[in-house]
């Protein structure tokens, strides 16, 4: 499949945005701007971007603890994300959520999740709503190879299978569930075959190739929109940093990281753009410089933003507080 | 309003049907709610009126039922989900505690979760330890959920309509032994607000704060004690979250004595919270200890002999009430 220049540059732009966002967030955490956890997705940019480019704005995603890439790829604003990580008032969740809980309902981002496997049922439920209202929308559920062993995967996939729900289970198999290698957590090498238990298609693709992810997701999305039901798309990828920032990573297999670094999605795609003469060195650099500027602005915004008023802690648990009986 | 006698079960069905006729975003899903009409018969006949899309049978899959309710709610639906035994809520524990309850707060107030979780509570008789629990207090410690315990057919209808028109997740506890109870219920559309306790019977000597089926038992106790000249005031909080502290305190200020009655286990049950509220805000009115009448702190046994020993009833309330005077005399 050939793709237009603008589209290919957009892929590159979003992947660089995700990578640079993560690196800046890690740096700002070290500098003290960010108080909480960061589970970075450095190395996994292609699956987030390839999948989200196959979606429309009105489609929804559920995300994970390693969710910054998903959010940015779906259109999340770096400055509100950075402000949320910095626990500031104008952050996406007013400083109540942090990295693990960022959402933007206007963009169809139903939320990152601090619970591994926590988002499967909600994705199925959103898809059910679309199906019941006869809307041509889909729900895309990001998850990892760790989450696929949670019971909620089975429950949600089974519902999606029996009701033919317009949901895409987008598995980012980065070979480790926290610190345990995937081959110790499941007897399967290709986790996509689990889809056969629910009578919907499962495919495994090179998760470091954004075009491969895009094409597989697009096919799944097109089928879902036409009433053809769910798909499991497995993206084989690798995370270049720890499960969380500070993870000593004693579990890595020797030589594995070096092998995967050769398949780093960003330089690989950059080289492809240049080799295919899709874009010039100057054009690629302009994209990179543009992203750096966006992130400088995001960090400046987060730094200068006010912290929340303490009273905010006692607001917004409920929509209706029954004259102050509950918050 | 036009009153007529219907059962608690019919009142719940009526509330769901009223809302489903008015609002196409409302739908019911759960195990056997469609063709079967619900194992408790609550949704009997609704499949015929609303069809299988909106009265939706699910697999046996509690985490997905509640979690899918959450997902549908977040994109604009108003799902009602039925969990046929409260004991099964723990199969969906993460979805309730970490997902449903926290969605609005974590999102900075942007997630709307108008999800009603209808769930049965209480011992139906020899159903043993995994089908008899009263899990009302399990989620009182989780901010983000509202907890509703209707004791009468009229309250069942009015409270459920309030739940269905709100924007917050509600756990609606239906006592299995109340489904067949009849009572006067307005024929019209009407609501009972959350956070307003009902003074079910006025009295002057002892306040009995009773939850769910214990309201009925408290009224039986009040009848019996009236013959001895002891006057009970029976208060039904109706919703445990939010809790109408003011009505409880006002009653205790009048009587000076209080018994809290619920079918949930005594330790950490709803009465623990109510007692703490009274200890902090009504201690100056109390002429005696705050007493609890509740299930003993063991799993519910199968044998009727054992089960009756463990569960609270009207006689236990009477005994607790009499103890105020026994202590005085001692």
């Amino acid at each position: 499949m050939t793709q237009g220049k603008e589209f290919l540059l957009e892929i590159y732009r979003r992947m660089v945005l995700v990578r640079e966002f993560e690196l800046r967030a890690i740096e700002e955490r070290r500098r003290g701007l960010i108080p909480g956890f960061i589970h970075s997705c450095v190395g996994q940019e292609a699956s987030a971007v390839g999948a989200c480019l196959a979606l429309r704005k009105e489609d929804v995603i559920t995300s994970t603890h390693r969710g910054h890439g998903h959010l940015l790829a779906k259109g999340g604003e770096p400055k509100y994300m950075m402000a949320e990580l910095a626990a500031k008032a104008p952050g996406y969740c007013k400083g109540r959520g942090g990295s693990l809980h960022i959402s933007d309902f206007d963009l169809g981002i139903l939320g990152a999740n601090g619970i591994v496997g926590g988002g499967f049922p909600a994705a199925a439920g959103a898809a059910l709503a679309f199906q019941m209202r006869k809307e041509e929308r889909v729900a895309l559920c990001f998850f990892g190879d760790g989450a696929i062993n949670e019971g909620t995967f089975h429950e949600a996939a089974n519902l999606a299978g029996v009701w033919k729900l317009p949901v895409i289970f987008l598995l980012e198999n980065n070979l480790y569930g926290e610190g345990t290698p995937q081959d110790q957590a499941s007897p399967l090498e290709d986790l996509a075959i689990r889809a056969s238990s629910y009578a919907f298609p499962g495919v495994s693709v090179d998760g470091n190739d954004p075009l491969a992810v895009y094409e597989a997701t697009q096919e799944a999305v097109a089928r879902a929109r036409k009433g053809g039901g769910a798909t499991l798309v497995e993206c084989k990828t690798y995370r270049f940093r720890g499960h969380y920032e500070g993870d000593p990573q004693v579990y890595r297999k020797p030589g594995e990281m070096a092998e995967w670094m050769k398949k780093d999605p960003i330089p690989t795609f950059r080289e492809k753009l240049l080799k295919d003469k899709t874009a010039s060195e100057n054009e690629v650099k302009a994209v990179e410089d543009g992203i750096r500027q966006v992130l400088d602005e995001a960090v400046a915004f987060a730094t200068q933003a006010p912290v929340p008023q303490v009273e905010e802690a006692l607001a917004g648990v409920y929509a209706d507080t029954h004259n102050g009986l509950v918050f | 309003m036009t009153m007529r006698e219907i059962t608690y079960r019919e009142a719940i069905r009526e509330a769901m049907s009223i809302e489903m006729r008015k609002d196409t975003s409302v739908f019911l899903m759960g195990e056997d709610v469609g063709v079967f009409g619900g194992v408790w018969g609550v949704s009997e006949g609704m499949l015929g009126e609303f069809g299988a899309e909106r009265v939706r049978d699910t697999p046996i899959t509690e985490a997905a039922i509640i979690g899918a309710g959450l997902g549908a709610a977040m994109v604009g639906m108003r799902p009602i989900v039925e969990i046929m035994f409260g004991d099964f809520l723990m199969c969906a524990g993460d979805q309730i505690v970490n997902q449903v309850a926290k969605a609005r707060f974590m999102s900075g107030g942007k997630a709307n979760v108008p999800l009603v979780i209808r769930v049965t509570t209480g011992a139906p008789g020899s159903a043993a330890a995994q089908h008899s629990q009263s899990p009302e207090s399990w989620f009182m410690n989780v901010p983000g959920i509202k907890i509703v315990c209707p004791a009468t057919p009229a309250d069942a209808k009015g409270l459920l309509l309030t739940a269905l028109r709100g924007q917050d997740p509600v756990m609606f506890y239906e006592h299995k032994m109340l489904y067949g109870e009849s009572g006067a219920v307005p024929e019209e559309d009407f609501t009972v607000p959350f956070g307003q306790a009902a003074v079910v019977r006025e009295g002057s000597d002892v306040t009995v704060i009773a939850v769910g089926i214990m309201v009925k038992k408290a009224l039986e106790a009040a009848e019996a004690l009236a013959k001895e000249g002891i006057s009970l005031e029976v208060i039904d909080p109706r919703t445990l979250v939010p809790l109408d502290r003011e009505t409880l305190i006002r009653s205790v200020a009048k009587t000076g004595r209080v018994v809290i009655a619920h079918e949930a286990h005594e330790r950490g049950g709803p009465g623990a919270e109510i007692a703490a509220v009274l200890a902090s805000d009504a201690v100056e009115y109390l002429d005696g200890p705050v007493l609890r009448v509740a299930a003993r702190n063991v799993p519910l046994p199968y044998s009727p002999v054992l089960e009756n020993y463990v569960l609270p009833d009207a006689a236990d309330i009477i005994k607790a009430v009499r103890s105020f005077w026994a202590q005085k005399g001692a």
Side-chain angles (χ1 to χ4, degrees):
Chain A
M1 194 188 288
T2 54
Q3 303 287 347
K5 175 176 175 176
E6 266 182 42
F7 180 77
L8 295 170
L9 273 175
E10 182 60 19
I11 290 180
Y12 187 64
R13 193 190 70 77
R14 290 198 200 189
M15 290 204 301
V16 174
L17 172 64
V18 174
R19 170 72 54 95
E20 294 299 319
F21 182 93
E22 294 296 60
L23 296 177
R24 284 301 289 270
I26 291 162
E27 187 188 325
E28 294 305 328
R29 183 170 176 274
R30 249 188 237 125
R31 286 154 50 104
L33 179 65
I34 296 170
F37 302 119
I38 291 180
H39 302 79
S40 97
C41 66
V42 173
Q44 300 180 201
E45 296 85 356
S47 52
V49 170
C52 286
L53 278 169
L55 300 177
R56 298 176 186 157
K57 190 186 169 194
E58 64 267 28
D59 295 325
V60 301
I61 63 167
T62 59
S63 176
T64 70
H65 57 287
R66 204 172 306 291
H68 301 165
H70 311 144
L71 276 48
L72 290 163
K74 188 71 170 57
E77 284 271 355
K79 67 176 188 177
Y80 298 126
M81 283 178 59
M82 199 62 87
E84 185 59 34
L85 296 186
K88 298 295 186 72
Y92 260 122
C93 316
K94 302 183 181 176
R96 295 181 201 163
S99 168
L100 290 177
H101 305 299
I102 295 178
S103 57
D104 184 338
F105 285 76
D106 296 331
L107 293 172
I109 299 167
L110 303 188
N113 213 307
I115 306 296
V116 172
F120 291 119
L128 172 63
F130 302 150
Q131 183 190 62
M132 288 179 75
R133 296 195 299 241
K134 300 185 170 46
E135 296 169 344
E136 280 198 353
R137 295 163 73 186
V138 304
L140 186 143
C141 175
F142 283 106
F143 66 107
D145 48 294
I148 202 168
N149 299 323
E150 290 278 7
T152 45
F153 170 74
H154 169 65
E155 292 200 26
N158 184 59
L159 267 198
V162 73
W163 290 345
K164 278 199 165 311
L165 296 177
V167 59
I168 293 93
F169 294 103
L170 202 294
L171 164 57
E172 294 173 301
N173 182 351
N174 66 14
L175 301 182
Y176 288 90
E178 302 192 12
T180 299
Q182 194 242 306
D183 59 12
Q184 287 179 34
S186 164
L188 305 173
E189 192 181 338
D190 289 330
L191 296 171
I193 71 167
R194 289 206 184 166
S196 64
S197 304
Y198 313 104
F200 55 73
V203 290
S204 297
V205 299
D206 177 356
N208 281 18
D209 177 354
L211 286 171
V213 175
Y214 170 75
E215 280 159 21
T217 310
Q218 201 189 35
E219 193 184 320
V221 167
R223 183 166 42 239
R225 288 202 208 287
K226 282 187 300 193
T231 305
L232 171 56
V233 178
E234 178 186 18
C235 305
K236 308 261 196 193
T237 184
Y238 197 74
R239 83 172 130 74
F240 289 161
R241 302 190 64 92
H243 166 59
Y244 56 90
E245 284 307 309
D247 171 2
Q249 303 176 66
V250 293
Y251 47 80
R252 299 275 191 197
K253 293 175 186 166
E256 192 180 64
M257 178 74 86
E259 278 309 302
W260 278 94
M261 291 290 267
K262 290 181 200 157
K263 297 183 270 187
D264 185 334
I266 293 176
T268 305
F269 198 73
R270 190 184 200 277
E271 272 165 44
K272 179 183 156 56
L273 289 176
L274 297 176
K275 199 174 120 237
D276 296 350
K277 302 206 181 327
T278 306
S280 67
E281 177 72 29
N282 281 347
E283 286 173 308
V284 169
K285 272 216 165 101
V287 167
E288 292 158 359
D289 291 344
I291 294 299
R292 264 177 224 118
Q293 199 185 327
V294 165
L295 290 169
D296 286 344
E297 286 165 14
V299 169
F301 177 79
T303 305
Q304 287 155 22
V307 298
Q309 301 286 315
V310 288
E311 299 78 26
E312 276 284 304
L314 303 186
V317 179
Y318 298 97
D320 183 350
T321 61
H322 307 284
N323 299 319
L325 285 177
V326 285
F327 304 126
Chain B
M1 283 200 252
T2 322
M3 305 296 277
R4 80 280 193 243
E5 292 266 322
I6 57 171
T7 63
Y8 185 88
R9 173 189 287 116
E10 288 164 338
I12 294 164
R13 185 188 307 145
E14 194 165 276
M16 288 194 288
S17 300
I18 285 173
E19 213 51 18
M20 285 176 68
R21 282 176 205 129
K22 275 179 44 178
D23 183 348
T24 55
S25 68
V26 181
F27 69 102
L28 170 68
M29 67 176 165
E31 294 157 13
D32 292 326
V33 298
V35 178
F36 201 122
V39 296
W40 302 100
V42 178
S43 50
E44 218 172 87
M46 288 178 66
L47 177 69
E49 179 175 356
F50 299 104
E53 277 277 294
R54 295 179 70 201
V55 180
R56 181 175 284 264
D57 281 321
T58 66
I60 299 170
T61 191
E62 288 81 9
I65 292 168
I66 290 179
L70 166 67
M74 288 196 297
V75 299
M77 300 298 277
R78 293 183 152 276
I80 308 168
V81 302
E82 179 179 299
I83 299 294
M84 69 167 74
F85 284 87
D87 314 71
F88 307 165
L89 287 169
M90 281 308 176
C91 297
D94 172 66
Q95 291 297 313
I96 298 168
V97 173
N98 288 317
Q99 312 296 335
V100 169
K102 294 174 174 57
R104 174 177 295 276
F105 184 80
M106 291 193 309
S107 67
K110 285 177 226 146
N112 241 3
V113 188
L115 169 66
V116 177
I117 302 170
R118 287 185 38 243
V119 56
T120 68
T121 184
S126 285
Q130 297 172 338
H131 290 76
S132 300
Q133 292 172 90
S134 293
E136 290 86 349
S137 71
W138 291 359
F139 302 99
M140 284 175 70
N141 201 232
V142 181
I145 302 266
K146 290 177 182 173
I147 304 210
V148 180
C149 308
T152 67
D155 280 349
K157 178 174 174 182
L159 290 166
L160 185 52
L161 281 167
T162 297
L164 291 170
R165 289 169 191 171
Q167 299 296 336
D168 295 312
V170 173
M171 303 200 56
F172 194 84
Y173 287 91
E174 301 167 9
H175 198 290
K176 298 165 195 129
M177 298 305 278
L178 290 176
Y179 277 134
E181 292 280 315
S182 292
V185 179
E187 215 169 291
E188 295 82 359
D189 184 340
F190 82 108
T191 55
V192 173
F194 290 178
Q196 283 189 20
V199 181
V200 182
R201 179 185 172 118
E202 288 195 36
S204 54
D205 295 326
V206 178
T207 297
V208 180
I209 299 169
V211 178
I213 198 165
M214 294 310 288
V215 173
K216 186 182 161 212
K217 310 230 162 141
L219 290 172
E220 286 166 23
E223 274 302 306
L225 288 167
K227 291 177 190 136
E228 299 174 22
I230 298 174
S231 166
L232 297 193
E233 175 145 300
V234 179
I235 308 280
D236 173 5
R238 299 198 282 201
T239 60
L240 294 170
V241 179
L243 181 67
D244 177 4
R245 302 159 72 110
E246 208 181 300
T247 300
L248 309 185
I249 293 164
R250 202 184 310 128
S251 177
V252 170
K254 181 166 80 172
T255 62
R257 299 177 194 91
V258 63
V259 174
I260 304 163
H262 54 66
E263 200 182 295
H265 296 296
E266 182 189 60
R267 185 171 60 228
E273 173 66 17
I274 293 169
V277 165
L278 298 176
S280 74
D281 294 357
V283 74
E284 67 267 38
Y285 308 121
L286 289 168
D287 295 329
V290 175
L291 298 179
R292 283 180 290 170
V293 171
R296 295 170 194 265
N297 295 321
V298 294
L300 271 293
Y302 171 65
S303 156
V305 177
L306 302 180
E307 187 180 32
N308 287 338
Y309 178 71
V310 170
L311 287 174
D313 59 16
D316 295 312
I317 296 174
I318 291 169
K319 199 169 141 198
V321 167
R322 284 196 180 125
S323 75
F324 287 113
W325 285 276
Q327 278 167 7
K328 261 191 185 168

